[in-house]
């Protein structure tokens, strides 16, 4: 149990376009999901905390108008990178915390390349 | 400044060797987690340590939480190529139980 999926696993888009990444908890309900960003050879940096039915909480320095997060159900959160630029190219990883539990379970990540 | 500093940043060793990775902070934590991440994948939880001085073993991996709960170490005995990956320590912070990751240690085990 506790499987988290992400879609797509990789995406290439042109500068100026928007890209949506989905994060799903497949076999459990997740009130809270988290979105991370990871640059090559670096650690994970938390971007935002996504709570079902409410607005996401963004970390300092993360533009909320650029990285739109929606958590419309207990099993799905989406991250939309708006007006993507090459500097947004990165590995985006989500995690989900089972309702009432402590541990986070991570998705396999989405590699975004903006050309 | 990073909340969690890991050392070394990179380690390349031969199969069969032993190694230790450190995770240090000036802050005290109620618990600490270790993850391993392989290229192109999300991190996988290895262990959670909670009590100061606690030692946990996972096959050839030994995890220790410092007595003061400010630091932790991961020791791998007789490393194998399958141990290759990015090792991350992490702690939970804030009311939202956010995970803050360490700077990471990239391990490469060669045949």
């Amino acid at each position: 149990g506790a499987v988290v999926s992400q879609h797509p696993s990789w995406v290439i888009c042109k500068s100026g376009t928007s890209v949506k990444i989905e994060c799903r908890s497949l076999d459990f309900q997740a009130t809270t999901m988290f979105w991370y960003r990871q640059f090559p050879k670096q650690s994970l940096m938390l971007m935002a905390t996504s709570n079902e039915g409410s607005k996401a909480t963004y970390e300092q320095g993360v533009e909320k108008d650029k990285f739109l997060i929606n958590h419309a159900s207990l099993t799905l959160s989406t991250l939309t990178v708006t007006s993507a630029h090459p500097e947004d190219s990165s590995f985006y990883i989500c995690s989900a915390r089972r309702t009432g539990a402590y541990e986070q379970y991570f998705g396999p990540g989405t590699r975004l390349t903006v050309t | 400044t990073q909340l969690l500093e890991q050392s070394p940043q990179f380690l390349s060793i031969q199969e069969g060797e032993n190694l230790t990775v450190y995770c240090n902070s000036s802050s005290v934590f109620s618990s600490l987690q270790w993850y391993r991440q392989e290229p192109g994948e999300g991190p996988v939880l290895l262990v959670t340590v909670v009590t100061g001085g606690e030692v946990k073993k996972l096959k050839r991996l030994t995890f220790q939480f410092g007595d003061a709960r400010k630091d932790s170490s991961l020791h791998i005995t007789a490393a194998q190529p399958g141990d290759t990956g990015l090792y991350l320590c992490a702690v939970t912070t804030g009311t939202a139980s956010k995970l803050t990751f360490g700077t990471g240690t990239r391990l490469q085990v060669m045949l």
Side-chain angles (χ1 to χ4, degrees):
Chain A
V3 178
V4 177
S5 70
Q6 282 185 240
H7 178 79
S9 54
W10 61 268
V11 57
I12 301 173
C13 72
K14 293 192 174 183
S15 187
T17 62
S18 295
V19 174
K20 180 185 285 188
I21 302 170
E22 293 185 349
C23 177
R24 293 182 185 273
S25 55
L26 297 184
D27 50 3
F28 66 99
Q29 293 187 332
T31 305
T32 304
M33 292 184 173
F34 302 88
W35 287 96
Y36 298 82
R37 184 173 182 176
Q38 185 177 33
F39 290 108
K41 300 187 179 180
Q42 292 189 23
S43 186
L44 280 73
M45 295 293 293
L46 179 65
M47 297 175 66
T49 302
S50 170
N51 294 299
E52 187 268 336
S54 63
K55 291 184 179 180
T57 304
Y58 291 82
E59 295 300 298
Q60 191 172 9
V62 177
E63 298 176 59
K64 62 180 181 181
D65 294 330
K66 180 166 187 61
F67 299 100
L68 300 178
I69 292 173
N70 184 276
H71 192 158
S73 78
L74 287 171
T75 59
L76 173 64
S77 176
T78 60
L79 168 68
T80 301
V81 183
T82 63
S83 187
H85 291 286
E87 56 265 32
D88 298 324
S89 298
S90 189
F91 194 50
Y92 292 87
I93 304 172
C94 73
S95 71
R97 189 170 67 208
R98 190 193 302 265
T99 301
Y102 166 77
E103 290 181 348
Q104 293 182 29
Y105 300 93
F106 286 83
T110 296
R111 184 161 301 284
L112 169 64
T113 302
V114 184
T115 60
Chain B
T1 57
Q2 290 281 348
L3 180 64
L4 296 171
E5 290 282 351
Q6 288 184 235
S7 61
Q9 285 186 311
F10 180 76
L11 194 55
S12 181
I13 62 173
Q14 295 293 127
E15 182 180 16
E17 291 183 15
N18 302 330
L19 67 118
T20 302
V21 175
Y22 300 93
C23 175
N24 295 298
S25 178
S26 57
S27 301
V28 177
F29 304 107
S30 58
S31 65
L32 184 145
Q33 299 176 335
W34 283 95
Y35 291 82
R36 181 171 70 208
Q37 184 185 23
E38 299 191 24
E41 299 182 11
V44 175
L45 178 65
L46 297 175
V47 77
T48 300
V49 285
V50 178
T51 307
E54 180 179 7
V55 176
K56 281 192 173 179
K57 291 192 174 185
L58 184 65
K59 296 183 181 178
R60 294 176 293 100
L61 278 60
T62 302
F63 304 85
Q64 183 162 10
F65 201 12
D67 291 340
R69 291 183 288 130
K70 292 182 177 182
D71 51 74
S72 182
S73 64
L74 157 59
H75 182 80
I76 301 179
T77 304
Q80 299 177 1
D83 296 326
T84 294
L86 177 66
Y87 288 83
L88 297 159
C89 60
V91 293
T92 301
T93 59
T95 56
S97 297
K98 300 181 294 186
L99 269 180
T100 298
F101 283 90
T103 49
T105 295
R106 193 166 297 276
L107 172 64
Q108 184 175 40
V109 183
M110 297 176 291
L111 290 169

